[in-house]
Amino acid sequence: MRPLAPGVHQLLGRPPHMVNAYLVEDVLVDAGTPSARKRITRQLDGRAIAAHVVTHAHPDHFGSSHAVCERYDVPLWAGAKDVEAITTATPVPSPGLAGSLLSRMKMPSPHPVARGLGEGDEVAGFTVLDVPGHSPGHIALWRDHDGVLICGDVFFNLLRPSAPPKILTFDDERNRASMRRLAELRPKLVLFGHGRPLRDPDRLLRLVG
């Protein structure tokens, strides 16, 4: 694991930074694809895990959630409006033909969500922010005292900071509003679902214009 901030570690990925998961104190944030199960559990074995949070109900973020929750006997938490999608493993499709085709792909194992998270809830010293758009119930985690933001897929950072692909986004206009909201926080460290960490408080502001 790679330490990024006090109490915050990034799990090692393959390839690095392509699909990210984080350990925040004793809470796992996101769980990659189903094929990431062994890689994730190798890094978590021997550590105290109290809960697992999913930023949004896409299969590359809750792909190994069932396996993780079963292995460590921990509850699964997610944004309230994404609970049904994870519980039934049927994510809400994004608009258009591409979104419809993607929604028919094989989904990860479903898992019951023990807690639907909403604006202002607390998770391991972070505050939950409702930032819908990429999915109906997308959440971000914000730690105000040192400016650490776990933004899920509100932004991507694979080659450079950007919006997520429209074909994978439930409501692009709402996601744009969520992008502006997060950029205006001027985070000192941004942790993405896809891409390298960013330590530039003004980079996201320049993106949203």
Side-chain angles (χ1 to χ4, degrees), residues 16-205:
H17 309 293
M18 182 61 70
V19 180
N20 295 322
Y22 302 95
L23 185 64
V24 180
E25 301 296 349
D26 57 359
V27 176
L28 176 68
V29 179
D30 286 338
T33 65
S35 64
R37 174 180 57 85
K38 290 183 179 180
R39 173 173 51 80
I40 289 173
T41 56
R42 275 199 303 269
Q43 296 178 72
L44 294 180
D45 281 352
R47 295 176 178 266
I49 308 298
H52 171 36
V53 170
V54 172
T55 57
H56 61 290
H58 284 180
D60 56 338
H61 290 261
F62 77 95
S64 293
S65 293
H66 175 71
V68 164
C69 291
E70 290 287 297
R71 185 179 184 90
Y72 304 111
D73 190 25
V74 297
L76 177 60
W77 303 341
K81 291 185 178 179
D82 274 6
V83 166
E84 183 178 356
I86 295 171
T87 300
T88 62
T90 53
V92 177
S94 52
L97 177 60
S100 177
L101 292 173
L102 288 169
S103 72
R104 297 174 191 173
M105 295 174 61
K106 183 179 179 181
M107 290 294 111
S109 298
H111 193 85
V113 177
R115 179 184 178 193
L117 297 171
E119 181 78 19
D121 286 341
E122 188 273 337
V123 172
F126 282 71
T127 300
V128 172
L129 304 179
D130 284 328
V131 283
H134 189 58
S135 76
H138 198 302
I139 60 169
L141 300 177
W142 168 244
R143 195 163 69 182
D144 183 69
H145 73 82
D146 60 356
V148 178
L149 173 69
I150 302 175
C151 73
D153 284 4
V154 175
F155 295 92
F156 274 39
N157 192 32
L158 290 175
L159 297 176
R160 60 187 180 279
S162 67
K166 287 186 178 181
I167 64 168
L168 302 177
T169 298
F170 173 71
D171 186 327
D172 185 64
E173 184 175 342
R174 294 185 74 190
N175 190 75
R176 290 282 176 178
S178 292
M179 290 171 64
R180 288 191 293 273
R181 180 189 182 188
L182 296 185
E184 288 169 0
L185 294 173
R186 300 189 74 251
K188 296 177 181 177
L189 171 62
V190 186
L191 305 179
F192 302 87
H194 305 281
R196 295 178 177 275
L198 178 68
R199 298 180 186 272
D200 181 347
D202 294 322
R203 187 69 181 274
L204 300 185
L205 277 174

